[in-house]
Amino acid sequence: MKIIFATSNQHKLKEVKSAAPEGFEIISLKEIGFEGELPETHETIEENSLEKAEYLSNKFNTACFAEDTGLIIDAINGEPGVYSARYAGEYASFHDNVNKVLAKMKVMETRTARFKTVITYYSQGSFVQFEGVTEGIIPLVQIGDNGFGYDPIFIPDGSTKTYAQMTMDEKNLFSHRKKSFDLFANHLKLITV
Ligand code: IMP
C-alpha cells in the first residue's frame, strides 16, 4: 500500500520509513512534487496534525497522513509543547531550541518530560488520529550526535541513553513517533483487509 506522508522534515521521513511494516510504502512530499510549507497555525498538537493532513489531502485529492510532535516538560509548564519547532524564535535552529530548554531547566529539580506525537490519517473528507507518548527525563547537558531536534536532551524511561545516543532502530524501541505509527499501521491493515 502506498501512502503519502505530509511532512517536509527529512528526519521524520527517515524515521517513519524505517518504522513502516512490510507492505507499506511511504511516499514523501518531494516525490509527489510538493515543495511549499505546510500550514501549522493552531494551539494544539492535535489541531496542527489535522490541519496538515487535511490541507494536503484536499490539495492532491488523495488520502494522506501527517503528524505533529511536541516535547512537554513538566517543570516549565509544558513548554516547549506545541511551539517545539520555533521555541527560540521563528528561524531558530535545533541547537538554539535545545540551548533555550537547557537554560530554563538549569535550576529545576523536577526533570520529567514526555514526547507526544499525533498522527492524522485524512481520507475522503474524514479523519482519524493516533497518539504516541513516551515519558522520560531531561539531562543537565546535551549528550549524543544522532537524530534531530531535542534528541540530545531526552532520555526515555527504560534507557540510560538520550535519543541522540541511539541508532534509529534503538530509538524506534522507545519512540513516541513509532508508537503512533504502529497504531496507524494497524488501522490501515484493518481497513484494507
Ligand atoms: P513538528 O512541529 O511536529 O514538526 O515538530 C516540532 C519540533 O519538535 C521539531 O522541529 C523538532 O525540533 C522537535 N521534534 C519532533 N520530533 C522529535 C523527535 O523525535 N526528537 C527530537 N525532537 C523532535
Side-chain angles (χ1 to χ4, degrees):
M1 180 178 192
K2 289 188 179 190
I3 178 119
I4 298 168
F5 181 18
T7 186
S8 34
N9 181 322
Q10 294 309 306
H11 300 278
K12 289 182 178 181
L13 184 66
K14 250 194 200 166
E15 279 191 16
V16 163
K17 280 191 171 182
S18 81
E22 222 166 280
F24 287 92
E25 191 185 342
I26 307 295
I27 312 289
S28 68
L29 291 184
K30 209 172 167 193
E31 285 167 284
I32 60 165
F34 179 85
E35 288 191 347
E37 281 289 310
L38 290 169
E40 211 180 305
T41 60
H42 293 282
E43 298 290 313
T44 66
I45 291 171
E46 286 79 2
E47 287 171 300
N48 281 336
S49 174
L50 171 58
E51 183 178 28
K52 290 185 260 191
E54 184 175 18
Y55 173 82
L56 210 84
S57 179
N58 288 338
K59 191 171 174 67
F60 286 91
N61 197 23
T62 183
C64 77
F65 74 100
E67 67 96 84
D68 201 63
T69 296
L71 174 63
I72 298 153
I73 304 176
D74 293 322
I76 49 176
N77 303 315
E79 290 179 20
V82 74
Y83 302 108
S84 291
R86 44 191 188 280
Y87 191 46
E90 197 56 40
Y91 303 104
S93 65
F94 290 148
H95 188 69
D96 297 333
N97 289 335
V98 161
N99 281 340
K100 181 168 178 185
V101 167
L102 287 178
K104 283 204 167 195
M105 289 295 291
K106 205 170 176 180
V107 296
M108 302 296 182
E109 280 182 16
T110 303
R111 314 288 308 180
T112 50
R114 65 207 50 81
F115 264 114
K116 173 172 148 179
T117 290
V118 174
I119 284 181
T120 303
Y121 177 56
Y122 198 96
S123 177
Q124 297 180 336
S126 60
F127 71 93
V128 54
Q129 294 190 308
F130 307 91
E131 181 181 298
V133 175
T134 295
E135 301 285 338
I137 57 165
I138 307 294
L140 288 168
V141 293
Q142 45 185 308
I143 317 165
D145 299 314
N146 299 335
F148 71 104
Y150 300 96
D151 279 351
I153 56 162
F154 187 77
I155 303 175
D157 286 357
S159 178
T160 52
K161 295 182 189 176
T162 65
Y163 273 164
Q165 292 175 288
M166 298 180 180
T167 62
M168 204 173 287
D169 284 346
E170 276 182 283
K171 182 177 173 184
N172 277 337
L173 296 175
F174 299 94
S175 162
H176 46 287
R177 183 165 298 103
K178 167 91 166 102
K179 286 174 187 166
S180 61
F181 189 80
D182 283 350
L183 294 172
F184 169 47
N186 280 339
H187 172 78
L188 285 183
K189 279 183 205 153
L190 286 174
I191 62 171
T192 50
V193 284

